[in-house]
Amino acid sequence: MDISEETGSSGGRYVARLDGEEAEMTYSRTSDTLVIIDHTGVPDSLRGKGVGQALAAHAVEAARAGGWKIIPLCPFFKAQAQRHPEWRDVVM
């Protein structure tokens, strides 16, 4: 699975590509040190393959590397964060 990032002026998205399909996790940047994860979209054909989990883990690693915190508004990301207490260093 290949995960890349596409950025814009006020946010962006992480994109996972697998088996010719694309899944995404979008975010908004509120400051240099804070992002809001607001949406995760995984097509039915990729469900159950760990794609959403991989996107969430990628976002956490990006936050750690960039020195910012994440506000989880996306229900999927919020549920994943509750299952991963080791993410508390970056998830608010």
Side-chain angles (χ1 to χ4, degrees):
M1 175 180 341
D2 177 43
I3 298 178
S4 61
E5 181 177 12
E6 298 174 0
T7 59
S9 61
S10 63
R13 69 183 192 140
Y14 300 110
V15 181
R17 291 179 179 84
L18 181 67
D19 300 332
E21 297 284 340
E22 184 176 282
E24 71 175 0
M25 179 171 283
T26 62
Y27 64 87
S28 299
R29 183 167 294 283
T30 62
S31 72
D32 289 340
T33 59
L34 190 63
V35 299
I36 298 171
I37 301 285
D38 52 26
H39 169 74
T40 302
V42 177
D44 290 341
S45 61
L46 294 181
R47 293 188 188 240
K49 296 183 178 184
V51 177
Q53 172 63 34
L55 285 166
H58 186 84
V60 167
E61 290 306 315
R64 286 180 177 143
W68 63 74
K69 301 283 186 185
I70 297 171
I71 296 175
L73 291 186
C74 166
F76 174 81
F77 187 90
K78 192 175 213 174
Q80 289 300 311
Q82 290 173 347
R83 290 185 189 112
H84 292 276
E86 69 274 17
W87 292 358
R88 288 189 186 137
D89 61 317
V90 294
V91 178
M92 299 179 77

